Amino acid sequence: MAESRKLNILGIESSCDETSVAILSDDEVKINFISSQHFHRTYGGVVPELSSRAHLQIVKPLVESALKSANINLSEIDLITATAGPGLIGALLVGLTFAKGLCYSLNKPFIAVNHIEGHIFSGFLMESKPEFPMLVLVVSGGHTLLLYIENELKIFLLGTTVDDAAGEAFDKVSKLLGFGYPGGPQIEINAAKGDQNSIKFPVADLKDQYNFSFSGLKTAVLRYVQKNYSNGNIPNFDLQNISASFQKALVDALIQKTYLALNNFKVKSLSLVGGVAANKNLRDEFNNLADKYKIPCVIPSLSFCGDNAAMIALRGYQLYQTGIRDNLRVKPYASIPENHFLRMKTG
Ligand code: KG4
Ligand code: ZN
């Protein structure tokens, strides 16, 4: 029997400060171009208006060069996908409108992808794919979510953060220590040279068993700095110790909740995704945890941890395979729609 032809999928991501364009052949990544807006560093955070303008400048040339590098033309694309939210509305509007314009003019099917769902299933970009049911921890700049995934369409939310997201905590502590934005990589570099047991920072353990809270940890770091360095001059050795101790406290909290979920849910795989999943300590601890439970752990390679269009194209492909099609009236949205994920009774 002749094999069915593979689908060419174009993905566009523009939810925050990365413009990304990917081309997949079914679930195989051919191209994953990421153009990061480094200029936001000057401002200590993402400036929405500047972000939209930068997306606008780069999206068309990036799509053109992705097609050229993949050696295919637009007429050979079978499915067009773009991030619809959550994210910055102006930024989302650029990628989403561009994708919808292509679909309209070329009469191609369209799938609007939820950015968080893109992260959730990004483990499927790897060669050895996760197996359902799986437990996923999403740790990004805007979200910290613990999820039980029964299959492509049944996503149960177990817990989330009640205040700061994990990446946000990294970014805020980094700012406080004078490292700048984005904070995660800077904290990680400094933490590697420090003693993670030098300072005991507390992490809230919430009654709602799978929820997280990181604002207390951030405040504890602030108090420590104010108490010990009222002049604002923190010596290098202590910048490194604070970074290491903060990172340990945050990683411990993430591991604790995942451990709890692994005890209560029988799963066939574990996955760690999102920008903070680039953190080596966290990756190591996650792998150790999965080893203990003797289940495979899938953590995307670094280019699929931060924002990227490959995960958007892949999620679009999964939805397309289930028969879903979106119309071109889809609007961008800033936050995850309420009750978007299923809720599981967690006792
Ligand atoms: O998923 P992502 O690229 O964007 C969002 O959807 O938010 O995540 C960005 C977040 C930032 O907060 C950044 O500081 C954090 O990921 N991050 C890290 C590391 N690399 C990026 N956090 C800890 N360690 C890292 N190596
Ligand atoms: Zn993201």
Side-chain angles (χ1 to χ4, degrees), residues 82-93:
T83 309
L88 303 169
I89 291 295
L92 287 162
L93 205 53

Side-chain angles (χ1 to χ4, degrees), residues 124-188:
F124 287 84
L125 294 165
M126 305 305 289
E127 211 167 307
S128 77
K129 320 265 177 228
E131 243 188 282
F132 297 126
M134 68 168 174
L135 199 67
V136 178
L137 180 67
V138 180
V139 272
S140 73
H143 299 90
T144 305
L145 307 171
L146 191 56
L147 305 127
Y148 175 86
I149 316 291
E150 201 171 300
N151 58 43
E152 284 91 348
L153 296 178
K154 282 206 162 162
I155 306 172
F156 291 91
L157 178 64
L158 303 180
T160 183
T161 178
V162 298
D163 40 56
D164 293 345
E168 193 178 355
F170 268 103
D171 293 337
K172 286 180 174 168
V173 167
S174 171
K175 204 168 189 175
L176 200 147
L177 299 179
F179 297 147
Y181 175 88
Q186 312 271 1
I187 299 252
E188 178 166 20

Side-chain angles (χ1 to χ4, degrees), residues 251-269:
V251 168
D252 281 355
L254 293 174
I255 292 293
Q256 242 175 53
K257 299 288 172 161
T258 313
Y259 171 80
L260 201 64
L262 279 174
N263 273 343
N264 292 334
F265 295 94
K266 207 167 161 37
V267 289
K268 287 196 176 145
S269 63

